[in-house]
Structure formats: C-alpha cells, structure tokens
Amino acid sequence: MKPTESEMEILQVLWNKGQCSVREVFETLDKKDVGYTTILKLMQIMHEKKMVIRDTSSKTHIYTANINKEKTQNQFLNKMIDTVYNGSTSRLVMQALGNHKASKEEIDLIKDYLNQLENK
Amino acid sequence: MKPTESEMEILQVLWNKGQCSVREVFETLDKKDVGYTTILKLMQIMHEKKMVIRDTSSKTHIYTANINKEKTQNQFLNKMIDTVYNGSTSRLVMQALGNHKASKEEIDLIKDYLNQLENK
DNA sequence: TCAAATCTACGAAAGAATTCGTAAATACAA
DNA sequence: TTGTATTTACGAATTCTTTCGTAGATTTGA
C-alpha cells in the first residue's frame, strides 16, 4: 500500500501536473539511466495497485494520481520520524530548519504557521 | 552507501546505546517475526559495508556505529524533501507540526530554536 | 567432563523493486 | 499505401533486501 521510492517520484509529477502521459512523466524526471519502458512498466504496476487511474480512450494513455497527496506524504513522514528520528518530531524539524536547504523565506513561513497554531 | 530501512533500525539502537551485541540489538527491536540470525546477518553485512565496527576479542562480538548520526539523518531528510515534498523544506516542517505527533512541548522547543536561529 | 546454550559464519532461498527487450497495435506522414 | 514513430503489453532478467537453516566453535554449569 505504501508507494516505493520510484513510485513516489512518479506520483510527485502526477500531483504537480494533474495528469500526464507516460512520456511526459519520463521527460519530467529525466533520469539519465532509465529507459522509457521502465517508467511505463512502473506506471502500469501503479495502475494495477490502483495508485493511479488512467484514461485509455486514445492510444496515448493519460494517467492521474489516485491516492491522496497529504495522506501519502504523512505516511512517509511518520515512518521517517520513527525509524530515523527515534520518534521525535522536534528533532526532525530542527534538523530540517538547520539545514542549508531551508531559506529565510521558508523559516518565516514556518513562524507564521506556528503563530497560527498558537492562536487556536 | 545509504542504509536500508532495516539497517536504519539497527543503527538507531547502536546510536542510542553506544555499543551492543547482536543479542542486545535483537532484543531491543523485538520484532515478533524475525529471527536472531536475521539480525546477525544484517549486522554482518553492515560490517562489510563499514557502517559499523566491531570488537571481536571475545566470543560475543560488540558492535558500534561507524557512520555519523546527524549526517545520515540529513541524507534521509534531504532525499525525502526532494522526492516527497518536491524540494520544499517548509512544507515538510509544517506538515510535521500539524501532525498529531507533534506535542505542545515539541512545538515550544521549535520556537526556541527558531528564536536562536534569528539571533544569529 | 560433557551436554546444553549461545554465538558466529555462511550459503542459499525468498521476496521486492527495478530494468529492459521484444512484439504487436496504432498513428502519422511522405 | 507503406514504412517510420510512438505507444502499450508483458515476460523475464537483474539487482537489492530480507530471511533463515545448518554447521562449527565457544562458553557455562551441572
């Protein structure tokens, strides 16, 4: 039920773009070392698992994500908090913030968010 | 180079306890459905990969983590931000905070941390 | 001492995930 | 029309991860 890493990459594209042909997904994630049919196969498997739905009315099938983005992200997040951060959400968050990846703008966003949380 | 999920669980124990025999790890993670030799094998593989070091001077070998906790956690975190949150640290953080898993205390911790960040 | 318990080593099976080759169908354009 | 492109379907190979059985060594304690 939990998407694999590759499936996650594909879902990412589908969530962003709404709907895509296999080729669009393939080109969006231009992974140097994977062939077109690999992505095709993965998406077919995802279809079997009902992670995506597809419109087969024309030759080129059009895929759409069929699982909830936030729910799926949360699933990964919780797993990660458990196995990587020993159950501590705050440690994860602080590490994410101390990270070079978090920009000033992002930190401001988070402050606003915390204030909102507080006022409830 | 990146630990697998099982390896991560074992590293977790080693990071927490400092050093352990296989049996200690086995008991700490008491997974109902995995045998002792499975954990042993995993730890032997981790040794081959130099993820852990071990003292073999007595019959019962004693293992210690040989990779950096923070660095390894960051590796997972960054991967996750990319493949699950489309590169957005703030989205990950906000979702973690909105999560049932983040308690009041944890949120306070994070506020302090943000203030510290600010004063630098 | 010797048997039971505990440990390591190691190969191999089982399971999961990824990868791709090839064939057949369809569309497209010269 | 005819051949080139693109697409799907699908089986099979490959690779990665997890699992365990068995054998042999060591320790322990009755």
Short mmCIF file of all heavy atoms in Angstrom, two decimals, chain C residues 2-25:
data_model
loop_
_atom_site.label_atom_id
_atom_site.label_comp_id
_atom_site.label_asym_id
_atom_site.label_seq_id
_atom_site.Cartn_x
_atom_site.Cartn_y
_atom_site.Cartn_z
P DC C 2 33.43 -37.12 29.11
OP1 DC C 2 33.23 -38.54 29.49
OP2 DC C 2 34.39 -36.73 28.06
"O5'" DC C 2 32.00 -36.52 28.77
"C5'" DC C 2 30.94 -36.58 29.73
"C4'" DC C 2 29.83 -35.62 29.33
"O4'" DC C 2 30.12 -34.30 29.84
"C3'" DC C 2 29.67 -35.43 27.82
"O3'" DC C 2 28.31 -35.13 27.56
"C2'" DC C 2 30.49 -34.19 27.54
"C1'" DC C 2 30.08 -33.38 28.76
N1 DC C 2 30.95 -32.22 29.10
C2 DC C 2 30.47 -31.25 29.98
O2 DC C 2 29.33 -31.37 30.46
N3 DC C 2 31.27 -30.19 30.28
C4 DC C 2 32.48 -30.09 29.74
N4 DC C 2 33.23 -29.04 30.08
C5 DC C 2 32.99 -31.07 28.85
C6 DC C 2 32.20 -32.10 28.55
P DA C 3 27.34 -36.21 26.96
OP1 DA C 3 27.22 -37.29 27.96
OP2 DA C 3 27.76 -36.51 25.57
"O5'" DA C 3 25.95 -35.43 26.93
"C5'" DA C 3 25.32 -35.13 28.17
"C4'" DA C 3 24.84 -33.69 28.18
"O4'" DA C 3 25.95 -32.79 28.36
"C3'" DA C 3 24.14 -33.25 26.90
"O3'" DA C 3 23.05 -32.46 27.31
"C2'" DA C 3 25.19 -32.39 26.21
"C1'" DA C 3 25.79 -31.73 27.44
N9 DA C 3 27.11 -31.11 27.25
C8 DA C 3 28.17 -31.59 26.54
N7 DA C 3 29.24 -30.81 26.59
C5 DA C 3 28.82 -29.75 27.38
C6 DA C 3 29.48 -28.58 27.81
N6 DA C 3 30.74 -28.30 27.49
N1 DA C 3 28.78 -27.73 28.59
C2 DA C 3 27.53 -28.02 28.91
N3 DA C 3 26.81 -29.08 28.57
C4 DA C 3 27.52 -29.92 27.79
P DA C 4 21.73 -32.41 26.47
OP1 DA C 4 20.72 -33.30 27.07
OP2 DA C 4 22.08 -32.54 25.04
"O5'" DA C 4 21.28 -30.91 26.77
"C5'" DA C 4 21.37 -30.41 28.12
"C4'" DA C 4 21.58 -28.92 28.06
"O4'" DA C 4 22.97 -28.62 27.81
"C3'" DA C 4 20.78 -28.22 26.96
"O3'" DA C 4 20.11 -27.12 27.55
"C2'" DA C 4 21.84 -27.81 25.93
"C1'" DA C 4 23.07 -27.62 26.81
N9 DA C 4 24.36 -27.83 26.14
C8 DA C 4 24.70 -28.86 25.30
N7 DA C 4 25.95 -28.79 24.86
C5 DA C 4 26.44 -27.64 25.46
C6 DA C 4 27.71 -27.01 25.41
N6 DA C 4 28.73 -27.48 24.71
N1 DA C 4 27.87 -25.87 26.12
C2 DA C 4 26.83 -25.41 26.84
N3 DA C 4 25.60 -25.91 26.97
C4 DA C 4 25.47 -27.04 26.25
P DA C 5 19.22 -26.16 26.71
OP1 DA C 5 18.08 -25.75 27.56
OP2 DA C 5 19.00 -26.76 25.37
"O5'" DA C 5 20.18 -24.91 26.55
"C5'" DA C 5 20.77 -24.35 27.73
"C4'" DA C 5 21.64 -23.19 27.31
"O4'" DA C 5 22.85 -23.69 26.70
"C3'" DA C 5 20.99 -22.27 26.29
"O3'" DA C 5 21.18 -20.94 26.75
"C2'" DA C 5 21.72 -22.55 24.99
"C1'" DA C 5 23.10 -22.97 25.50
N9 DA C 5 23.85 -23.86 24.62
C8 DA C 5 23.40 -25.00 23.99
N7 DA C 5 24.32 -25.61 23.27
C5 DA C 5 25.46 -24.83 23.47
C6 DA C 5 26.77 -24.93 22.99
N6 DA C 5 27.18 -25.92 22.19
N1 DA C 5 27.66 -23.98 23.38
C2 DA C 5 27.24 -23.00 24.18
N3 DA C 5 26.02 -22.79 24.70
C4 DA C 5 25.18 -23.75 24.30
P DT C 6 20.67 -19.69 25.91
OP1 DT C 6 20.35 -18.63 26.88
OP2 DT C 6 19.71 -20.16 24.88
"O5'" DT C 6 22.00 -19.26 25.14
"C5'" DT C 6 23.14 -18.85 25.88
"C4'" DT C 6 24.21 -18.48 24.89
"O4'" DT C 6 24.66 -19.67 24.21
"C3'" DT C 6 23.70 -17.55 23.79
"O3'" DT C 6 24.53 -16.40 23.78
"C2'" DT C 6 23.82 -18.35 22.52
"C1'" DT C 6 24.92 -19.33 22.89
N1 DT C 6 25.00 -20.58 22.10
C2 DT C 6 26.23 -20.93 21.61
O2 DT C 6 27.25 -20.27 21.78
N3 DT C 6 26.25 -22.10 20.89
C4 DT C 6 25.18 -22.93 20.62
O4 DT C 6 25.34 -23.94 19.97
C5 DT C 6 23.91 -22.50 21.17
C7 DT C 6 22.70 -23.32 20.94
C6 DT C 6 23.89 -21.36 21.88
P DC C 7 24.15 -15.13 22.93
OP1 DC C 7 24.55 -13.95 23.69
OP2 DC C 7 22.77 -15.30 22.41
"O5'" DC C 7 25.15 -15.30 21.70
"C5'" DC C 7 26.54 -15.09 21.95
"C4'" DC C 7 27.32 -15.71 20.83
"O4'" DC C 7 26.92 -17.07 20.67
"C3'" DC C 7 27.05 -15.11 19.46
"O3'" DC C 7 27.94 -14.03 19.22
"C2'" DC C 7 27.38 -16.26 18.51
"C1'" DC C 7 27.39 -17.49 19.41
N1 DC C 7 26.51 -18.57 18.92
C2 DC C 7 27.07 -19.59 18.14
O2 DC C 7 28.28 -19.52 17.88
N3 DC C 7 26.29 -20.59 17.69
C4 DC C 7 24.99 -20.61 17.99
N4 DC C 7 24.26 -21.63 17.54
C5 DC C 7 24.39 -19.59 18.78
C6 DC C 7 25.18 -18.59 19.22
P DT C 8 27.74 -13.22 17.86
OP1 DT C 8 28.41 -11.93 18.05
OP2 DT C 8 26.32 -13.30 17.47
"O5'" DT C 8 28.57 -14.07 16.80
"C5'" DT C 8 29.99 -14.19 16.96
"C4'" DT C 8 30.52 -15.11 15.88
"O4'" DT C 8 29.73 -16.33 15.88
"C3'" DT C 8 30.40 -14.54 14.47
"O3'" DT C 8 31.68 -14.59 13.87
"C2'" DT C 8 29.39 -15.42 13.75
"C1'" DT C 8 29.42 -16.70 14.57
N1 DT C 8 28.12 -17.43 14.61
C2 DT C 8 28.03 -18.67 14.04
O2 DT C 8 28.96 -19.20 13.47
N3 DT C 8 26.80 -19.26 14.13
C4 DT C 8 25.67 -18.76 14.74
O4 DT C 8 24.62 -19.39 14.78
C5 DT C 8 25.82 -17.44 15.33
C7 DT C 8 24.67 -16.79 16.01
C6 DT C 8 27.02 -16.85 15.24
P DA C 9 31.98 -13.89 12.52
OP1 DA C 9 33.42 -13.59 12.49
OP2 DA C 9 30.99 -12.83 12.33
"O5'" DA C 9 31.69 -15.04 11.45
"C5'" DA C 9 32.40 -16.27 11.57
"C4'" DA C 9 31.97 -17.20 10.44
"O4'" DA C 9 30.69 -17.78 10.78
"C3'" DA C 9 31.79 -16.51 9.10
"O3'" DA C 9 32.50 -17.29 8.15
"C2'" DA C 9 30.27 -16.54 8.86
"C1'" DA C 9 29.85 -17.76 9.65
N9 DA C 9 28.48 -17.72 10.19
C8 DA C 9 27.89 -16.68 10.86
N7 DA C 9 26.67 -16.93 11.27
C5 DA C 9 26.43 -18.22 10.82
C6 DA C 9 25.29 -19.07 10.93
N6 DA C 9 24.16 -18.71 11.54
N1 DA C 9 25.39 -20.30 10.37
C2 DA C 9 26.53 -20.65 9.76
N3 DA C 9 27.65 -19.94 9.61
C4 DA C 9 27.54 -18.73 10.16
P DC C 10 32.83 -16.76 6.68
OP1 DC C 10 34.10 -17.37 6.26
OP2 DC C 10 32.63 -15.30 6.62
"O5'" DC C 10 31.66 -17.46 5.86
"C5'" DC C 10 31.42 -18.86 6.05
"C4'" DC C 10 30.12 -19.22 5.36
"O4'" DC C 10 29.01 -19.07 6.27
"C3'" DC C 10 29.81 -18.32 4.16
"O3'" DC C 10 29.51 -19.14 3.07
"C2'" DC C 10 28.60 -17.55 4.61
"C1'" DC C 10 27.93 -18.57 5.51
N1 DC C 10 26.89 -18.02 6.41
C2 DC C 10 25.78 -18.81 6.74
O2 DC C 10 25.70 -19.95 6.29
N3 DC C 10 24.81 -18.29 7.53
C4 DC C 10 24.92 -17.05 7.99
N4 DC C 10 23.95 -16.59 8.78
C5 DC C 10 26.04 -16.23 7.67
C6 DC C 10 26.99 -16.75 6.88
P DG C 11 29.80 -18.75 1.57
OP1 DG C 11 31.19 -19.11 1.25
OP2 DG C 11 29.32 -17.37 1.34
"O5'" DG C 11 28.83 -19.77 0.84
"C5'" DG C 11 28.62 -21.07 1.39
"C4'" DG C 11 27.15 -21.43 1.26
"O4'" DG C 11 26.38 -20.79 2.30
"C3'" DG C 11 26.55 -20.99 -0.07
"O3'" DG C 11 25.72 -22.02 -0.57
"C2'" DG C 11 25.74 -19.74 0.30
"C1'" DG C 11 25.29 -20.10 1.72
N9 DG C 11 24.95 -18.95 2.55
C8 DG C 11 25.66 -17.77 2.67
N7 DG C 11 25.11 -16.91 3.49
C5 DG C 11 23.96 -17.56 3.93
C6 DG C 11 22.95 -17.13 4.84
O6 DG C 11 22.88 -16.06 5.46
N1 DG C 11 21.96 -18.09 5.02
C2 DG C 11 21.94 -19.32 4.39
N2 DG C 11 20.91 -20.10 4.68
N3 DG C 11 22.87 -19.74 3.55
C4 DG C 11 23.85 -18.82 3.36
P DA C 12 25.30 -22.05 -2.08
OP1 DA C 12 26.04 -23.12 -2.75
OP2 DA C 12 25.31 -20.66 -2.60
"O5'" DA C 12 23.78 -22.50 -1.94
"C5'" DA C 12 23.26 -22.83 -0.64
"C4'" DA C 12 21.88 -22.23 -0.49
"O4'" DA C 12 21.93 -21.04 0.33
"C3'" DA C 12 21.24 -21.80 -1.81
"O3'" DA C 12 19.90 -22.20 -1.76
"C2'" DA C 12 21.34 -20.27 -1.76
"C1'" DA C 12 21.13 -20.06 -0.27
N9 DA C 12 21.53 -18.75 0.24
C8 DA C 12 22.62 -18.00 -0.11
N7 DA C 12 22.71 -16.85 0.51
C5 DA C 12 21.59 -16.84 1.33
C6 DA C 12 21.09 -15.89 2.26
N6 DA C 12 21.69 -14.73 2.51
N1 DA C 12 19.94 -16.20 2.91
C2 DA C 12 19.35 -17.36 2.65
N3 DA C 12 19.71 -18.33 1.81
C4 DA C 12 20.85 -18.01 1.18
P DA C 13 19.05 -22.47 -3.01
OP1 DA C 13 19.06 -23.94 -3.22
OP2 DA C 13 19.46 -21.53 -4.09
"O5'" DA C 13 17.60 -22.07 -2.50
"C5'" DA C 13 17.19 -22.51 -1.20
"C4'" DA C 13 16.21 -21.51 -0.64
"O4'" DA C 13 16.91 -20.30 -0.25
"C3'" DA C 13 15.13 -21.09 -1.64
"O3'" DA C 13 13.89 -21.22 -0.96
"C2'" DA C 13 15.50 -19.64 -1.99
"C1'" DA C 13 16.20 -19.17 -0.71
N9 DA C 13 17.17 -18.09 -0.87
C8 DA C 13 18.26 -18.05 -1.70
N7 DA C 13 18.98 -16.94 -1.60
C5 DA C 13 18.32 -16.23 -0.61
C6 DA C 13 18.58 -14.97 -0.03
N6 DA C 13 19.62 -14.19 -0.36
N1 DA C 13 17.74 -14.54 0.93
C2 DA C 13 16.70 -15.32 1.26
N3 DA C 13 16.35 -16.51 0.80
C4 DA C 13 17.21 -16.92 -0.15
P DA C 14 12.53 -21.13 -1.73
OP1 DA C 14 11.68 -22.17 -1.14
OP2 DA C 14 12.81 -21.04 -3.19
"O5'" DA C 14 11.98 -19.71 -1.25
"C5'" DA C 14 12.20 -19.33 0.11
"C4'" DA C 14 11.82 -17.89 0.25
"O4'" DA C 14 12.96 -17.05 -0.06
"C3'" DA C 14 10.69 -17.46 -0.68
"O3'" DA C 14 9.78 -16.79 0.15
"C2'" DA C 14 11.39 -16.55 -1.71
"C1'" DA C 14 12.54 -15.99 -0.90
N9 DA C 14 13.75 -15.57 -1.60
C8 DA C 14 14.42 -16.20 -2.62
N7 DA C 14 15.52 -15.57 -3.02
C5 DA C 14 15.56 -14.45 -2.19
C6 DA C 14 16.48 -13.38 -2.10
N6 DA C 14 17.57 -13.26 -2.85
N1 DA C 14 16.22 -12.42 -1.18
C2 DA C 14 15.14 -12.55 -0.40
N3 DA C 14 14.20 -13.50 -0.39
C4 DA C 14 14.48 -14.44 -1.33
P DG C 15 8.39 -16.23 -0.46
OP1 DG C 15 7.42 -16.30 0.66
OP2 DG C 15 8.12 -16.85 -1.78
"O5'" DG C 15 8.74 -14.69 -0.68
"C5'" DG C 15 9.53 -14.08 0.33
"C4'" DG C 15 9.63 -12.60 0.09
"O4'" DG C 15 10.90 -12.32 -0.56
"C3'" DG C 15 8.56 -12.00 -0.81
"O3'" DG C 15 8.25 -10.75 -0.21
"C2'" DG C 15 9.26 -11.86 -2.17
"C1'" DG C 15 10.69 -11.58 -1.75
N9 DG C 15 11.75 -12.00 -2.66
C8 DG C 15 11.82 -13.15 -3.40
N7 DG C 15 12.91 -13.23 -4.12
C5 DG C 15 13.59 -12.05 -3.82
C6 DG C 15 14.84 -11.56 -4.30
O6 DG C 15 15.62 -12.10 -5.10
N1 DG C 15 15.16 -10.32 -3.76
C2 DG C 15 14.36 -9.65 -2.85
N2 DG C 15 14.81 -8.47 -2.44
N3 DG C 15 13.21 -10.09 -2.40
C4 DG C 15 12.88 -11.29 -2.93
P DA C 16 7.08 -9.79 -0.83
OP1 DA C 16 6.20 -9.49 0.30
OP2 DA C 16 6.57 -10.37 -2.11
"O5'" DA C 16 7.82 -8.43 -1.23
"C5'" DA C 16 9.12 -8.27 -0.84
"C4'" DA C 16 9.66 -6.98 -1.37
"O4'" DA C 16 10.79 -7.32 -2.20
"C3'" DA C 16 8.77 -6.11 -2.24
"O3'" DA C 16 9.12 -4.76 -1.97
"C2'" DA C 16 9.12 -6.54 -3.66
"C1'" DA C 16 10.59 -6.87 -3.52
N9 DA C 16 11.06 -7.94 -4.39
C8 DA C 16 10.42 -9.11 -4.71
N7 DA C 16 11.11 -9.88 -5.54
C5 DA C 16 12.28 -9.16 -5.76
C6 DA C 16 13.43 -9.40 -6.54
N6 DA C 16 13.59 -10.52 -7.26
N1 DA C 16 14.41 -8.47 -6.54
C2 DA C 16 14.24 -7.36 -5.81
N3 DA C 16 13.21 -7.01 -5.04
C4 DA C 16 12.26 -7.96 -5.06
P DA C 17 8.44 -3.55 -2.71
OP1 DA C 17 8.43 -2.44 -1.74
OP2 DA C 17 7.18 -4.00 -3.36
"O5'" DA C 17 9.49 -3.22 -3.84
"C5'" DA C 17 10.80 -2.83 -3.43
"C4'" DA C 17 11.60 -2.49 -4.65
"O4'" DA C 17 11.89 -3.69 -5.37
"C3'" DA C 17 10.91 -1.54 -5.63
"O3'" DA C 17 11.80 -0.46 -5.81
"C2'" DA C 17 10.68 -2.38 -6.88
"C1'" DA C 17 11.74 -3.46 -6.75
N9 DA C 17 11.41 -4.77 -7.29
C8 DA C 17 10.24 -5.48 -7.13
N7 DA C 17 10.26 -6.65 -7.73
C5 DA C 17 11.52 -6.71 -8.31
C6 DA C 17 12.15 -7.69 -9.08
N6 DA C 17 11.59 -8.85 -9.41
N1 DA C 17 13.41 -7.43 -9.51
C2 DA C 17 13.98 -6.26 -9.17
N3 DA C 17 13.49 -5.26 -8.45
C4 DA C 17 12.24 -5.55 -8.05
P DT C 18 11.52 0.66 -6.89
OP1 DT C 18 12.21 1.87 -6.42
OP2 DT C 18 10.10 0.67 -7.28
"O5'" DT C 18 12.37 0.08 -8.12
"C5'" DT C 18 13.75 -0.16 -7.93
"C4'" DT C 18 14.33 -0.69 -9.20
"O4'" DT C 18 13.77 -1.97 -9.51
"C3'" DT C 18 14.09 0.19 -10.43
"O3'" DT C 18 15.39 0.54 -10.91
"C2'" DT C 18 13.30 -0.72 -11.39
"C1'" DT C 18 13.70 -2.10 -10.91
N1 DT C 18 12.77 -3.23 -11.16
C2 DT C 18 13.24 -4.34 -11.83
O2 DT C 18 14.37 -4.44 -12.25
N3 DT C 18 12.33 -5.35 -11.99
C4 DT C 18 11.02 -5.36 -11.55
O4 DT C 18 10.30 -6.33 -11.76
C5 DT C 18 10.58 -4.17 -10.86
C7 DT C 18 9.19 -4.08 -10.34
C6 DT C 18 11.47 -3.17 -10.70
P DT C 19 15.56 1.51 -12.14
OP1 DT C 19 16.86 2.15 -12.01
OP2 DT C 19 14.31 2.29 -12.30
"O5'" DT C 19 15.65 0.46 -13.33
"C5'" DT C 19 16.81 -0.35 -13.46
"C4'" DT C 19 16.62 -1.29 -14.62
"O4'" DT C 19 15.54 -2.19 -14.31
"C3'" DT C 19 16.19 -0.61 -15.92
"O3'" DT C 19 17.31 -0.52 -16.78
"C2'" DT C 19 15.12 -1.51 -16.51
"C1'" DT C 19 15.05 -2.67 -15.55
N1 DT C 19 13.68 -3.17 -15.34
C2 DT C 19 13.36 -4.43 -15.76
O2 DT C 19 14.14 -5.17 -16.30
N3 DT C 19 12.05 -4.79 -15.52
C4 DT C 19 11.06 -4.03 -14.92
O4 DT C 19 9.93 -4.47 -14.77
C5 DT C 19 11.48 -2.72 -14.51
C7 DT C 19 10.48 -1.81 -13.85
C6 DT C 19 12.75 -2.35 -14.73
P DC C 20 17.20 0.27 -18.15
OP1 DC C 20 18.56 0.70 -18.50
OP2 DC C 20 16.09 1.23 -18.13
"O5'" DC C 20 16.80 -0.92 -19.13
"C5'" DC C 20 17.52 -2.14 -19.05
"C4'" DC C 20 16.82 -3.18 -19.89
"O4'" DC C 20 15.59 -3.59 -19.26
"C3'" DC C 20 16.42 -2.67 -21.29
"O3'" DC C 20 16.82 -3.65 -22.21
"C2'" DC C 20 14.91 -2.56 -21.22
"C1'" DC C 20 14.61 -3.72 -20.27
N1 DC C 20 13.27 -3.67 -19.64
C2 DC C 20 12.49 -4.83 -19.64
O2 DC C 20 12.93 -5.86 -20.16
N3 DC C 20 11.25 -4.78 -19.09
C4 DC C 20 10.81 -3.65 -18.54
N4 DC C 20 9.59 -3.66 -17.99
C5 DC C 20 11.60 -2.47 -18.51
C6 DC C 20 12.81 -2.51 -19.07
P DG C 21 17.45 -3.22 -23.61
OP1 DG C 21 18.91 -3.18 -23.47
OP2 DG C 21 16.71 -2.04 -24.12
"O5'" DG C 21 17.06 -4.50 -24.48
"C5'" DG C 21 17.21 -5.81 -23.91
"C4'" DG C 21 16.18 -6.75 -24.51
"O4'" DG C 21 14.92 -6.62 -23.80
"C3'" DG C 21 15.86 -6.47 -25.98
"O3'" DG C 21 15.85 -7.71 -26.68
"C2'" DG C 21 14.48 -5.82 -25.97
"C1'" DG C 21 13.85 -6.39 -24.70
N9 DG C 21 12.93 -5.47 -24.03
C8 DG C 21 13.15 -4.15 -23.73
N7 DG C 21 12.14 -3.59 -23.10
C5 DG C 21 11.20 -4.60 -22.98
C6 DG C 21 9.91 -4.58 -22.39
O6 DG C 21 9.33 -3.64 -21.82
N1 DG C 21 9.28 -5.82 -22.48
C2 DG C 21 9.83 -6.93 -23.08
N2 DG C 21 9.07 -8.02 -23.08
N3 DG C 21 11.03 -6.96 -23.64
C4 DG C 21 11.67 -5.76 -23.55
P DT C 22 15.77 -7.76 -28.27
OP1 DT C 22 16.63 -8.88 -28.65
OP2 DT C 22 15.95 -6.41 -28.84
"O5'" DT C 22 14.26 -8.19 -28.50
"C5'" DT C 22 13.67 -9.15 -27.63
"C4'" DT C 22 12.19 -9.25 -27.94
"O4'" DT C 22 11.45 -8.32 -27.10
"C3'" DT C 22 11.82 -8.89 -29.37
"O3'" DT C 22 10.80 -9.77 -29.79
"C2'" DT C 22 11.31 -7.47 -29.27
"C1'" DT C 22 10.59 -7.56 -27.92
N1 DT C 22 10.29 -6.29 -27.24
C2 DT C 22 9.12 -6.19 -26.54
O2 DT C 22 8.32 -7.10 -26.46
N3 DT C 22 8.89 -4.98 -25.94
C4 DT C 22 9.72 -3.88 -25.97
O4 DT C 22 9.41 -2.85 -25.39
C5 DT C 22 10.95 -4.04 -26.73
C7 DT C 22 11.91 -2.90 -26.83
C6 DT C 22 11.17 -5.22 -27.31
P DA C 23 10.52 -9.97 -31.36
OP1 DA C 23 11.08 -11.27 -31.75
OP2 DA C 23 10.87 -8.74 -32.09
"O5'" DA C 23 8.93 -10.10 -31.31
"C5'" DA C 23 8.30 -10.71 -30.17
"C4'" DA C 23 6.87 -10.20 -30.07
"O4'" DA C 23 6.87 -8.94 -29.36
"C3'" DA C 23 6.22 -9.93 -31.42
"O3'" DA C 23 4.85 -10.32 -31.33
"C2'" DA C 23 6.36 -8.43 -31.60
"C1'" DA C 23 6.20 -7.96 -30.16
N9 DA C 23 6.82 -6.66 -29.86
C8 DA C 23 8.02 -6.17 -30.31
N7 DA C 23 8.30 -4.95 -29.88
C5 DA C 23 7.20 -4.63 -29.09
C6 DA C 23 6.88 -3.48 -28.34
N6 DA C 23 7.67 -2.41 -28.25
N1 DA C 23 5.71 -3.49 -27.68
C2 DA C 23 4.91 -4.56 -27.76
N3 DA C 23 5.12 -5.70 -28.43
C4 DA C 23 6.29 -5.67 -29.07
P DA C 24 4.08 -10.55 -32.69
OP1 DA C 24 3.57 -11.94 -32.66
OP2 DA C 24 4.86 -10.02 -33.84
"O5'" DA C 24 2.86 -9.57 -32.46
"C5'" DA C 24 2.18 -9.58 -31.19
"C4'" DA C 24 1.40 -8.30 -31.08
"O4'" DA C 24 2.31 -7.21 -30.76
"C3'" DA C 24 0.68 -7.88 -32.36
"O3'" DA C 24 -0.63 -7.49 -32.02
"C2'" DA C 24 1.49 -6.71 -32.89
"C1'" DA C 24 2.00 -6.10 -31.59
N9 DA C 24 3.21 -5.29 -31.71
C8 DA C 24 4.34 -5.55 -32.43
N7 DA C 24 5.27 -4.62 -32.34
C5 DA C 24 4.69 -3.68 -31.50
C6 DA C 24 5.16 -2.44 -31.01
N6 DA C 24 6.36 -1.93 -31.30
N1 DA C 24 4.35 -1.75 -30.20
C2 DA C 24 3.14 -2.26 -29.91
N3 DA C 24 2.59 -3.41 -30.31
C4 DA C 24 3.43 -4.07 -31.10
P DA C 25 -1.67 -7.18 -33.16
OP1 DA C 25 -2.84 -8.06 -32.88
OP2 DA C 25 -1.00 -7.17 -34.49
"O5'" DA C 25 -2.09 -5.68 -32.83
"C5'" DA C 25 -2.47 -5.36 -31.49
"C4'" DA C 25 -2.45 -3.86 -31.36
"O4'" DA C 25 -1.09 -3.40 -31.47
"C3'" DA C 25 -3.25 -3.14 -32.45
"O3'" DA C 25 -4.15 -2.27 -31.80
"C2'" DA C 25 -2.20 -2.37 -33.26
"C1'" DA C 25 -1.07 -2.22 -32.25
N9 DA C 25 0.28 -2.12 -32.82
C8 DA C 25 0.92 -3.03 -33.62
N7 DA C 25 2.14 -2.68 -33.96
C5 DA C 25 2.31 -1.45 -33.33
C6 DA C 25 3.40 -0.55 -33.29
N6 DA C 25 4.56 -0.76 -33.92
N1 DA C 25 3.24 0.60 -32.58
C2 DA C 25 2.07 0.79 -31.95
N3 DA C 25 0.98 0.03 -31.91
C4 DA C 25 1.18 -1.09 -32.62
#
